[in-house]
Amino acid sequence: MRALDRKLLRDLWHVKGQALAIAAVIACGVAIVVMTYGAMISLRETRDAYYERYRFADVFSQLRRAPLRVAAQVSEIPGVAAAAARITYYAALDIPSLDRPASALLVSLPDEGEPRLNRLALREGRMPMRGRDELVMSENMAQALGDHTGAHLSVLLNGRKRDFTVVGIALSPEFIYTLPPGQLMADDKAFGVLWMPRRILEAAYDLDGAFNDISLSLSPGASEPEVIRRLDNLLARYGGTAAYGRADQMSNAYVDQELDQLRTVALVIPPVFLAVAAFLINMVLSRLIDTERESIGLLKSFGYSNGEVGRHYLKFSLVITAAGVVAGIAAGLWLGRWMTGMYQDYFRFPFLEYRMDPAVFSMAVLLSLLAAALGTWTAVLRAVRLAPATAMQPPAPAIYRRTLLDRMGLDRIASMPTQMILRHIERWPLRAALTICGSAMAVMLLVGLFFFFDAIDELVDSFYFRANRQDVVIGLVDRRGERARFDIAHLSGVRGAEPVLEVPARLSHGHVSQRLGISGLRSGTRYRAFYDLAGRAFTLPQEGIVLSNKLAGLLQVQGGDAVDVDVLEGARRHARLRVSAIAMEHVGLSAYMDQRALWRLTGEPHAITAIQALLDRAVQERLLKRLKDIPAVATVSTRQQAISALRETMAKSMTIVIDFYIGLGAIIAFGVIYNAARISLSERGRELASLRVLGFTGGEVTYILLGELALLVLAALPIGCALGYGLAWLMASAMETKLFRVPFIILPATYGIAMGIVLISAAASALVVGRRISRLDLIAVLKTRE
Amino acid sequence: MARATDIRSAPTDLARGAVAFHVHGLTKIYRSGEVDVAALRGVELDIFESEVLVLLGPSGSGKSTFLNILGGLDRPSAGDVLFRDHHLTTMSERELTRYRRDHVGFVFQFYNLIPSLTAKENVALVTEIASRPMTPSDALAIVGLEDRQNHFPAQLSGGEQQRVAIARAIAKRPEILLCDEPTGALDSPTGVIVLQAIERINAELGTTSVIITHNVAIADMGDRVASFANGRIAGVVKNAARQPAKSLKW
Ligand SMILES: Nc1ncnc2c1ncn2[C@@H]1O[C@H](COP(=O)(O)OP(=O)(O)OP(=O)(O)O)[C@@H](O)[C@H]1O
Ligand SMILES: [Mg+2]
């Protein structure tokens, strides 16, 4: 090995603590890139492979009833590759072990062979046999209930109870994510998908030779909007609700949303880490080059060229970067696999392909090299520029002046060590600024990540407590008249009940349109509160339509504008409605109307689809059990259950990821502060040792060094909080999707925790460096020439 | 100026050999802030191949500045330095680097060893980029440190460190050896060992050697002695006979 390389290794060993801290920061950045991209790519590849192998459809439509020959007509539409007609219905289940009503989406299976589209991935058992009461249950429900093949299940088929045997457990590309209708969160125990032979559903729902649901796949190059337009035309007579593509298919939309958010994380977070790494490399390398002025001059006097000298110091940061990159890739691969595995709890795939695109490694390497280059550049340039002769002369003694604070009379109040601290800071303002900057970045990162906890709390609070006040939403099997409300309202324990009508519709304004369900609420409703963008409460107007802010933004409308409303069922009426108000909501695209106005619009007075009710806490359990026996009830979702499901999901996915980021934040804080302390120590070792010789105590000397650091870290805290506010804002807006808006709210406690973690990191590095000060070898320090 | 009568280029000197350096009107002005410091104010001097030239002079008279320019470490503000056929003053940065690498060995007052490298590695640092070097071990043997090769600078005394620095300077078999107060921090017996090494390399390889010193006793080992004063050469004295380094004492 060449002598110069040996010097490099020894120099690295000498600053191993610092080098390690930098490598760790780089590793974090790289690990996040590799982890998130790994998860993203795997998720995408898995999804695509799944869709292809199990023939996920491209276009979907529901209708009231159409004869099977219509399905043949559908497959004639130009651009349609295949069409699969079937029967789907929501039905209540009777699950004795469950404390609340459960329901399922029933999906018919063809009498012969496999479905043409949306095939099942059998996980266990077999497909139902003809002529037997057998069904296949979706895996999420089976696992939640602990059911296996052979289990029995009672289903209320069109109000009549019928017992089935579970013969298979399966997954479907249509239901990677299953959400009960009208809910925000999955509830696997109480909602699932059941596949059963077509004949059973035909008979139960009186759909002999007919279907009420059709899916199509498109041939390559076909235009989806064009096919949808023709399909809608064809199915209009049969009560078809508007057809939609994959983008509006619920399960697919959720997977897409998750992919988008992964991408956001991969884009926003790693640059922060790499910036910190660049900054640390610069800090350490500049310092190294300052102390090596002489060696640099010496090398040049021997005839080493500028290029050779520059390369030598470049190698220094390259070795650190390479270590960080290797560790980061290893950690990232492992974490990516783990994260992808975690999606198994959340998204249901029959197989999970952990894939890694080599391009991601190149990108991670390139980004780290960029960071290293940024950090190294100025420092190495300084080494290169150093004229050999000047390098041979020791730098002129630092010029200290009476500081501003001195002139203000500080020297009379502050002790000698305190004055030394202040003068040192004033003498090296840039270095002090860099330390502040680094510590502030750590605080920033933590505030920017912890903010998510606040956001979730706010989400829960605004959705489940402020906006929705009902304890329970009871979905009805069909559009019973208002009578159903009386039945329920008269159950003991119900403190009040209101009917809700949900009508599928398409809202358009200009060129933009959106499918969604319009909720018709009773005028003066007590269960749903509306807040305008300024946070003021308002009541649902009797005329016009209220849009959620996300929907208004999507359609580009403001209060007072008119929107076109096409009802997608029944008489499929059209109307032009005035936007009477815009309601502030974080989640979902929603539209609200006064129930009477909605009845007038649909032409179906007194139709309702659900009932929302307030319950007596004391008898809630018993009441929910009673609801199970009412045939008209399809789904019951309680606020309590929804919130705990939400929290559980968050605990599973978010918390682990966020814990991981907290660790990273702490590493950054430690890296910055430890480096600053070590640099200070090596710079001022001589001075501090001299003070010890002069009779200062170890404590006083430690105070001089660490006091300065403490001062800088304290100064960094408010700056970091301000930057964290900015990062949180950036994250919130970057994470915003079509359906979901992250509320931007940061509680004071969040700032407190972020600052606390940084202070603990600072204390830890102070402890490490403090021990070094106490072991300062006075003679060795004084002997070396500075 | 009557060149013929000037001892600086007397025919007797030329008789000793060719001119290695021809220095003419060499001026160096440091600009630091508002004050200009003239370190050199028109130095005129010829240095002959294979001679040992000793530079004397009060502190601040410009000796180190002169040596640095000879070694291609620094550039003059005006004037010219001709090394054989090459003008050092017009050389590019790259050419100066080549010049240092191929021809010059340096010894500094404060040893300037790289603390993270052992004695042998400090020497290897130079031999690795030289064209016909001796081995680091041989170079260390010349200064009597063959058994301290694997010690780090911190494990060596000042005198030993300076001997390593000498070994490092001679290991490449340089044609020019430039020493800035090589014995400044050493006692007389250690100083003598250092000077003997310089003497030996001069004798064996014919290395042109320039030695700065404050120690008048050392002047006796030179072929000529140039005295600096106030940025100029006040006079050059030719020693009738060079004293061997071994006989020097201070
Ligand atoms: N980088 C510099 N900037 C400003 N002035 C300088 C610089 N280097 C040297 N000088 C000045 O140039 C003059 C000559 O310096 P030089 O180092 O050549 O003296 P010297 O003869 O070697 O002295 P000494 O015997 O003390 O080593 C001095 O007055 C010195 O202050
Ligand atoms: Mg000098």
Side-chain angles (χ1 to χ4, degrees):
Chain A
M1 194 191 293
R2 297 190 40 152
L4 210 52
D5 292 329
R6 221 167 268 173
K7 168 180 176 313
L8 180 77
L9 288 186
R10 298 226 177 90
D11 288 347
L12 274 169
W13 184 249
H14 188 65
V15 295
K16 56 185 175 300
Q18 286 154 276
L20 222 61
I22 298 172
V25 172
I26 294 177
C28 291
V30 170
I32 297 173
V33 172
V34 172
M35 170 182 83
T36 42
Y37 276 95
M40 195 168 86
I41 292 170
S42 305
L43 198 59
R44 201 172 52 207
E45 299 272 312
T46 303
R47 177 197 65 181
D48 291 347
Y50 188 22
Y51 282 177
E52 172 151 358
R53 267 186 241 171
Y54 291 88
R55 314 195 62 180
F56 182 48
D58 294 304
V59 173
F60 309 81
S61 183
Q62 281 82 45
L63 47 147
R64 201 178 305 126
R65 178 202 173 99
L68 276 171
R69 63 179 160 74
V70 175
Q73 290 174 348
V74 168
S75 41
E76 313 273 81
I77 295 177
V80 173
R86 56 188 183 177
I87 300 170
T88 58
Y89 266 99
Y90 286 104
L93 308 179
D94 181 21
I95 300 173
S97 62
L98 200 63
D99 59 354
R100 56 187 190 272
S103 63
L105 178 68
L106 310 181
V107 179
S108 70
L109 290 169
D111 291 334
E112 299 284 338
E114 281 195 78
R116 234 186 265 179
L117 298 172
N118 306 320
R119 292 197 168 154
L120 300 192
L122 260 188
R123 309 283 281 168
E124 203 182 305
R126 57 170 173 84
M127 299 296 273
M129 285 211 248
R130 212 200 279 214
R132 295 204 205 159
D133 285 351
E134 295 176 341
L135 57 76
V136 171
M137 184 184 267
S138 58
E139 192 189 58
N140 60 326
M141 188 175 219
Q143 275 177 1
L145 293 174
D147 276 355
H148 290 281
T149 47
H152 295 278
L153 184 68
S154 300
V155 182
L156 271 91
L157 283 181
N158 208 2
R160 213 166 313 136
K161 200 184 251 191
R162 187 152 163 182
D163 288 330
F164 285 87
T165 308
V166 178
V167 294
I169 288 168
L171 293 174
S172 150
E174 266 185 296
F175 304 105
I176 293 175
Y177 187 69
T178 357
L179 211 54
Q183 295 296 299
L184 273 186
M185 292 303 305
D187 180 1
D188 289 342
K189 272 189 185 166
F191 183 78
V193 183
L194 303 174
W195 290 271
M196 51 184 68
R198 180 182 164 82
R199 295 206 172 183
I200 296 174
L201 292 175
E202 238 176 29
Y205 291 96
D206 194 21
L207 281 169
D208 258 325
F211 66 96
N212 73 350
D213 179 298
I214 191 162
S215 326
L216 341 166
S217 62
L218 301 178
S219 37
S223 149
E224 185 183 290
E226 181 57 21
V227 170
I228 287 179
R229 199 182 57 78
R230 287 176 183 241
L231 183 67
D232 280 347
N233 279 343
L234 183 64
L235 297 181
R237 317 204 279 127
Y238 306 104
T241 56
Y244 49 95
R246 282 184 180 183
D248 288 315
Q249 202 266 349
M250 210 263 319
S251 153
N252 181 65
Y254 265 81
V255 178
D256 275 353
Q257 176 168 310
E258 188 62 31
L259 282 170
D260 276 352
Q261 293 191 345
L262 273 177
R263 189 167 21 241
T264 306
V265 170
L267 285 181
V268 176
I269 306 259
V272 176
F273 277 90
L274 294 173
V276 173
F279 160 77
L280 285 180
I281 289 178
N282 188 269
M283 199 155 107
V284 172
L285 205 62
S286 301
R287 169 62 195 153
L288 186 78
I289 284 170
D290 280 349
T291 55
E292 297 218 333
R293 288 167 59 88
E294 249 169 58
S295 301
I296 293 166
L298 204 62
L299 290 174
K300 289 187 176 177
S301 77
F302 296 156
Y304 279 94
S305 67
N306 283 343
E308 283 164 320
V309 171
R311 264 200 298 285
H312 174 65
Y313 289 98
L314 214 58
K315 268 192 211 161
F316 182 86
S317 69
L318 275 185
V319 169
I320 296 178
T321 309
V325 167
V326 169
I329 286 180
L333 283 176
W334 185 82
L335 285 167
R337 195 178 285 272
W338 164 81
M339 194 175 179
T340 310
M342 214 168 61
Y343 280 115
Q344 279 289 55
D345 294 343
Y346 193 64
F347 293 134
R348 299 280 166 172
F349 292 105
F351 49 85
L352 201 62
E353 296 188 355
Y354 185 67
R355 283 278 176 74
M356 196 60 216
D357 189 343
V360 172
F361 296 139
S362 335
M363 189 175 68
V365 171
L366 227 65
L367 277 175
S368 323
L369 283 181
L370 189 74
L374 280 177
T376 311
W377 190 246
T378 53
V380 167
L381 217 58
R382 209 153 58 184
V384 168
R385 288 229 182 96
L386 219 54
T390 41
M392 301 306 298
Q393 293 148 353
I399 304 156
Y400 282 85
R401 276 185 306 255
R402 282 168 59 78
T403 63
L404 192 68
L405 291 167
D406 287 339
R407 273 171 266 142
M408 284 159 54
L410 176 104
D411 48 351
R412 264 164 282 142
I413 357 170
S415 68
M416 202 55 222
T418 305
Q419 287 183 47
M420 288 181 69
I421 290 176
L422 295 172
R423 290 201 183 128
H424 194 255
I425 292 176
E426 191 158 324
R427 177 63 190 83
W428 304 105
L430 193 69
R431 199 171 298 160
L434 286 179
T435 306
I436 291 178
C437 199
S439 318
M441 275 196 243
V443 179
M444 166 184 86
L445 204 72
L446 291 169
V447 171
L449 294 168
F450 277 124
F451 132 81
F452 279 107
F453 288 118
D454 296 342
I456 290 163
D457 281 340
E458 166 66 13
L459 212 61
V460 169
D461 197 50
S462 72
F463 187 82
Y464 288 107
F465 291 97
R466 273 183 273 140
N468 291 291
R469 295 181 178 155
Q470 75 282 7
D471 293 316
V472 65
V473 177
I474 300 158
L476 301 177
V477 171
D478 55 25
R479 309 161 77 80
R480 306 262 160 165
E482 257 217 275
R483 257 214 64 79
R485 178 172 73 88
F486 290 103
D487 297 345
I488 288 167
H490 287 97
L491 292 174
S492 72
V494 173
R495 290 198 287 130
E498 271 186 12
V500 180
L501 170 63
E502 188 136 325
V503 173
R506 192 199 334 257
L507 267 57
S508 339
H509 178 253
H511 298 296
V512 224
S513 68
Q514 175 65 38
R515 275 173 57 96
L516 57 102
I518 300 177
S519 303
L521 303 174
R522 215 163 59 168
S523 67
T525 173
R526 287 154 52 215
Y527 299 154
R528 185 70 175 76
F530 294 96
Y531 296 92
D532 66 12
L533 299 179
R536 283 182 304 254
F538 66 90
T539 49
L540 183 63
Q542 294 193 343
E543 299 297 328
I545 187 165
V546 173
L547 306 183
S548 69
N549 53 326
K550 287 238 71 167
L551 180 59
L554 185 80
L555 295 177
Q556 294 159 19
V557 293
Q558 280 162 357
D561 291 352
V563 287
D564 287 300
V565 178
D566 290 288
V567 176
L568 298 176
E569 59 175 22
R572 303 179 70 110
R573 297 201 190 165
H574 169 89
R576 214 176 153 78
L577 296 178
R578 203 179 62 87
V579 177
S580 52
I582 290 171
M584 179 70 190
E585 279 180 9
H586 296 304
V587 188
L589 304 170
S590 10
Y592 303 92
M593 287 176 71
D594 183 285
Q595 218 161 59
R596 285 173 212 279
L598 191 55
W599 282 335
R600 278 200 301 277
L601 177 62
T602 58
E604 291 182 65
H606 305 295
I608 64 170
T609 53
I611 289 162
Q612 45 189 1
L614 282 178
L615 304 183
D616 207 335
R617 284 284 140 76
V619 297
Q620 179 163 341
E621 296 236 332
R622 195 148 40 91
L623 187 71
L624 289 174
K625 285 219 169 77
R626 295 266 322 265
L627 282 176
K628 288 169 66 173
D629 297 328
I630 299 181
V633 172
T635 61
V636 172
S637 58
T638 64
R639 165 160 68 188
Q640 231 171 13
Q641 199 275 327
I643 294 173
S644 64
L646 181 82
R647 293 218 179 274
E648 196 185 322
T649 309
M650 291 302 168
K652 247 194 235 159
S653 54
M654 295 274 278
T655 348
I656 303 172
V657 173
I658 288 177
D659 281 351
F660 172 66
Y661 286 136
I662 291 168
L664 302 191
I667 288 177
I668 286 196
F670 187 83
V672 170
I673 297 165
Y674 176 72
N675 265 308
R678 281 302 305 275
I679 287 171
S680 256
L681 179 62
S682 73
E683 245 165 30
R684 307 182 67 190
R686 242 176 116 68
E687 182 185 340
L688 299 181
S690 313
L691 288 175
R692 292 280 281 124
V693 172
L694 292 179
F696 277 76
T697 65
E700 282 166 326
V701 168
T702 309
Y703 167 72
I704 291 173
L705 188 76
L706 297 184
E708 175 180 340
L709 224 61
L711 201 66
L712 296 180
V713 171
L714 286 179
L717 296 180
I719 300 172
C721 289
L723 290 173
Y725 183 88
L727 180 65
W729 183 84
L730 193 74
M731 297 285 286
S733 32
M735 296 286 246
E736 185 159 347
T737 64
K738 193 172 157 189
L739 298 175
F740 184 69
R741 175 177 174 275
V742 181
F744 181 55
I745 182 166
I746 307 176
L747 299 178
T750 301
Y751 292 115
I753 294 170
M755 292 192 287
I757 290 176
V758 170
L759 284 176
I760 290 170
S761 289
S765 35
L767 216 66
V768 176
V769 175
R771 284 181 37 167
R772 280 183 168 266
I773 299 179
S774 64
R775 278 185 285 148
L776 216 55
D777 180 345
L778 301 187
I779 294 161
V781 172
L782 293 179
K783 228 167 82 175
T784 54
R785 230 165 62 80
E786 178 79 0
Chain B
M1 201 176 295
R3 259 175 155 259
T5 58
D6 194 329
I7 193 163
R8 273 164 256 177
S9 51
T12 47
D13 291 324
L14 279 169
R16 286 195 70 235
V19 175
F21 288 100
H22 177 69
V23 178
H24 175 62
L26 197 65
T27 304
K28 175 74 183 181
I29 295 165
Y30 287 111
R31 294 211 158 74
S32 51
E34 294 111 56
V35 254
D36 285 358
V37 179
L40 298 176
R41 309 158 185 258
V43 173
E44 304 284 341
L45 185 68
D46 284 341
I47 300 172
F48 302 105
E49 297 279 4
S50 302
E51 76 166 327
V52 174
L53 175 71
V54 175
L55 302 182
L56 289 175
S59 183
S61 57
K63 306 180 295 293
S64 297
T65 307
F66 179 65
L67 201 75
N68 286 345
I69 293 173
L70 282 191
L73 288 182
D74 210 348
R75 290 172 182 281
S77 313
D80 195 15
V81 177
L82 204 66
F83 170 67
R84 295 178 185 158
D85 295 331
H86 311 286
H87 291 276
L88 291 189
T89 33
T90 57
M91 278 190 188
S92 68
E93 190 59 44
R94 185 181 297 269
E95 288 166 330
L96 278 180
T97 300
R98 270 253 71 93
Y99 162 68
R100 293 198 297 264
R101 181 185 286 220
D102 295 342
H103 304 290
V104 188
F106 281 101
V107 181
F108 304 99
Q109 181 179 0
F110 295 109
Y111 333 137
N112 294 67
L113 299 182
I114 304 241
S116 56
L117 295 179
T118 61
K120 189 174 162 190
E121 288 161 356
N122 261 287
V123 178
L125 205 56
V126 172
T127 57
E128 277 167 2
I129 56 168
S131 51
R132 41 183 188 88
M134 47 182 110
T135 65
S137 309
D138 289 347
L140 284 168
I142 292 181
V143 296
L145 284 177
E146 57 271 46
D147 49 349
R148 305 297 296 275
Q149 298 193 22
N150 293 322
H151 285 153
F152 284 94
Q155 297 167 311
L156 298 170
S157 75
E160 287 159 350
Q161 289 185 45
Q162 187 63 309
R163 278 145 72 190
V164 175
I166 297 273
R168 189 174 60 183
I170 62 179
K172 65 155 88 158
R173 303 182 208 272
E175 292 153 59
I176 317 290
L177 185 60
L178 304 175
C179 312
D180 195 345
E181 301 186 40
T183 60
L186 305 180
D187 67 1
S188 140
T190 326
V192 167
I193 299 177
V194 166
L195 294 175
Q196 276 180 315
I198 297 173
E199 194 174 53
R200 178 167 164 194
I201 220 76
N202 171 261
E204 285 177 11
L205 303 173
T207 300
T208 308
S209 309
V210 183
I211 305 169
I212 295 180
T213 182
H214 282 287
N215 190 337
V216 186
I218 293 174
D220 290 345
M221 74 172 278
D223 293 302
R224 293 189 302 157
V225 179
S227 303
F228 267 75
N230 210 4
R232 287 198 188 86
I233 291 184
V236 179
V237 178
K238 190 171 178 316
N239 281 331
R242 256 168 68 170
Q243 299 299 311
K246 211 167 79 179
S247 66
L248 302 178
K249 260 198 198 73
W250 59 87

